[in-house]
Amino acid sequence: MDDKMKKGQVTIMIIVAIAIVAFILIFFLLKTKIKIDLPGGSESVFDYESYAKKCVRDYTEEALDLMIKQGGFLQPKNGKLFNNTNIEYLCYSKANYEKCVNQHPLLIKEMKIELKEYLGPKIKECLLDMKRDFENRNAQVLFNSENPEINVDFNDDRVNIEIDKEITIKKEGETRNYNKLNVEIQSPIYNLATIASEIASQEAKYCYFEFVGFGIYYPRFSVNPYSVSGETRIYSIRDNKTNKIMSIAIRSCAIPPGF
């Protein structure tokens, strides 16, 4: 009887010892992770990616919304004021009764260039803020260059931002290295700009865009023209999936007031 009790006690002690060892291992594994605070109080391990992605996404979404409202541009150079918004002319003719000339035959390319130029200093400031924030938490942040290399691409229903910049983060003897960061943002701006380009092209050829027939073939989108002073048409292009509306201005075969 005593032998059985001794064996039972030994078994229990072995189980308890295994549990203690496992607990200690888990504790030290968690403790050795390098934690760097993110804005808002959350913590993560070397979470440069979460920090940068949030910053890039916020700036990009803000810029995309403005571009959609203003005919594809952050700073329209030849626009028409409509509902307190300056909307870029995509096709324009100074003369009355004459077909317009497409002002932006490479619209999507121009949009990508402008967005890239806008994001450059914004992303640079994002990374500098991150550097200051992480260093306040006893991490060392090293950049290989002052300005990040940025690439912007538009695709169906999304915008891709690629940041090419070597970043090294060190803390408590551990080091993490980063190179490229990709941020994908859901947006119909490419789809809307493609339709806007088609409207400008048809207006340049025919002084008209067949918006009713277009809506039948492409029910996802609704196109509606609004006449302004009889000389300018503002086209409203709605993506019925996201309810985003792109507005563009057209002056083609304009009829002067009084006729």
Side-chain angles (χ1 to χ4, degrees):
M1 189 72 177
D2 290 341
D3 290 340
K4 289 183 178 179
M5 290 182 63
K6 288 180 179 179
K7 289 181 179 178
Q9 290 175 348
V10 170
T11 301
I12 292 172
M13 291 176 67
I14 291 171
I15 293 172
V16 171
I18 292 172
I20 291 172
V21 171
F23 176 81
I24 291 172
L25 286 173
I26 292 172
F27 175 79
F28 278 103
L29 284 172
L30 292 175
K31 188 177 181 180
T32 54
K33 288 184 176 181
I34 300 171
K35 291 188 175 183
I36 299 175
D37 291 348
L38 290 174
S42 63
E43 292 185 336
S44 184
V45 179
F46 278 133
D47 212 344
Y48 150 69
E49 291 189 354
S50 293
Y51 196 116
K53 281 184 176 181
K54 182 182 185 306
C55 194
V56 172
R57 183 171 284 108
D58 288 347
Y59 278 123
T60 304
E61 288 177 347
E62 180 182 30
L64 292 175
D65 283 344
L66 187 58
M67 292 173 78
I68 287 173
K69 293 176 182 177
Q70 297 184 159
F73 295 90
L74 290 167
Q75 296 180 327
K77 295 179 175 61
N78 179 26
K80 178 70 175 180
L81 192 64
F82 181 72
N83 289 340
N84 297 318
T85 301
N86 192 22
I87 301 171
E88 180 74 359
Y89 278 103
L90 296 195
C91 198
Y92 185 83
S93 173
K94 291 183 179 180
N96 294 324
Y97 309 111
E98 290 186 6
K99 295 177 182 178
C100 63
V101 176
N102 194 332
Q103 303 297 297
H104 301 282
L106 300 176
L107 175 63
I108 294 175
K109 182 179 180 180
E110 290 184 72
M111 291 168 63
K112 289 193 289 186
I113 291 172
E114 189 177 29
L115 181 59
K116 177 180 177 179
E117 291 176 349
Y118 170 81
L119 289 177
K122 302 292 185 183
I123 292 175
K124 178 182 176 181
E125 188 60 34
C126 280
L127 296 179
L128 289 174
D129 286 343
M130 180 201 72
K131 186 177 189 294
R132 288 189 287 265
D133 187 46
F134 283 13
E135 288 179 344
N136 286 337
R137 289 157 175 79
N138 300 318
Q140 184 182 8
V141 181
L142 304 173
F143 295 157
N144 71 320
S145 62
E146 184 177 354
N147 298 311
E149 180 66 31
I150 300 169
N151 293 306
V152 175
D153 195 20
F154 290 174
N155 297 285
D156 283 339
D157 291 316
R158 68 184 186 277
V159 173
N160 293 98
I161 310 295
E162 182 183 85
I163 304 169
D164 191 354
K165 184 179 178 70
E166 292 182 13
I167 297 174
T168 299
I169 303 177
K170 299 179 180 180
K171 186 175 180 182
E172 296 178 0
E174 293 197 29
T175 301
R176 295 285 176 91
N177 296 306
Y178 299 92
N179 189 356
K180 290 187 178 182
L181 178 69
N182 293 295
V183 183
E184 183 177 286
I185 295 146
Q186 299 300 311
S187 172
I189 192 167
Y190 173 82
N191 312 67
L192 294 170
T194 300
I195 297 169
S197 293
E198 181 61 24
I199 292 173
S201 178
Q202 290 197 23
E203 281 279 2
K205 290 180 181 179
Y206 312 116
C207 296
Y208 180 74
F209 175 73
E210 180 46 64
F211 62 94
V212 176
F214 178 86
I216 294 172
Y217 280 103
Y218 302 98
R220 173 178 167 177
F221 302 96
S222 302
V223 178
N224 291 294
Y226 300 92
S227 179
V228 181
S229 303
E231 298 182 8
T232 295
R233 283 186 290 279
I234 301 295
Y235 279 93
S236 170
I237 311 164
R238 177 190 291 273
D239 173 23
N240 297 317
K241 182 178 178 180
T242 63
N243 288 323
K244 297 284 186 181
I245 300 174
M246 184 172 188
S247 297
I248 63 171
I250 302 286
R251 191 182 192 277
S252 184
C253 301
I255 300 174
F259 286 85

